[in-house]
Amino acid sequence: MEHNNTIAETQAASATVRDRLMDDLQHTIGEAEKWLQDSAGEETGVRSETRARFDDTLRTARSDLRKLEESFLAHSRDAADNVNLFVREHPWQAAGIGVALGVVVGMLLSRK
């Protein structure tokens, strides 16, 4: 039962990372659109300032994206390790789960 909790915790952590990534990307895109709209009718000096802010935001977004990707990969590795451990400790249960998933996928594919 402890392994199931660990797997559930890992999945929850992955979902949290994914949600945070989407929120950060949406925020960044919103900021970029706002700055581009603000710079549409402004003087050259202001445009360069806006572009500099835009470049800074994109650099920050890229850096955050890399960090989140690394975090997501680490959580994915942990989940894979936990699944591997579960399969090694409970091979018959793992085989039963595999068979059940195979039957469900087969039924879904045969419907088409």
Side-chain angles (χ1 to χ4, degrees):
M1 193 62 122
E2 181 181 324
H3 297 293
N4 291 339
N5 289 340
T6 306
I7 291 171
E9 291 170 1
T10 303
Q11 289 173 340
S14 295
T16 301
V17 169
R18 199 172 41 245
D19 291 343
R20 203 169 104 205
L21 171 64
M22 291 306 296
D23 289 344
D24 287 347
L25 288 174
Q26 289 173 350
H27 175 74
T28 301
I29 290 169
E31 287 292 313
E33 290 173 345
K34 177 184 168 197
W35 289 338
L36 288 175
Q37 288 173 354
D38 290 346
S39 70
E42 296 177 356
E43 297 176 12
T44 306
V46 177
R47 278 190 201 157
S48 64
E49 178 186 332
T50 302
R51 286 196 177 120
R53 287 177 27 198
F54 179 72
D55 287 341
D56 287 343
T57 300
L58 285 179
R59 263 189 247 110
T60 301
R62 286 183 191 123
S63 174
D64 290 347
L65 182 60
R66 275 188 231 111
K67 289 176 187 174
L68 288 172
E69 183 180 29
E70 289 170 4
S71 175
F72 181 72
L73 289 174
H75 287 296
S76 297
R77 282 189 212 108
D78 289 344
D81 290 342
N82 288 329
V83 168
N84 186 27
L85 183 61
F86 176 81
V87 168
R88 288 178 186 268
E89 291 180 358
H90 309 287
W92 289 108
Q93 289 176 344
I97 292 169
V99 168
L101 286 174
V103 168
V104 169
V105 170
M107 287 173 42
L108 291 174
L109 289 176
S110 69
R111 287 182 145 187
K112 291 183 178 185

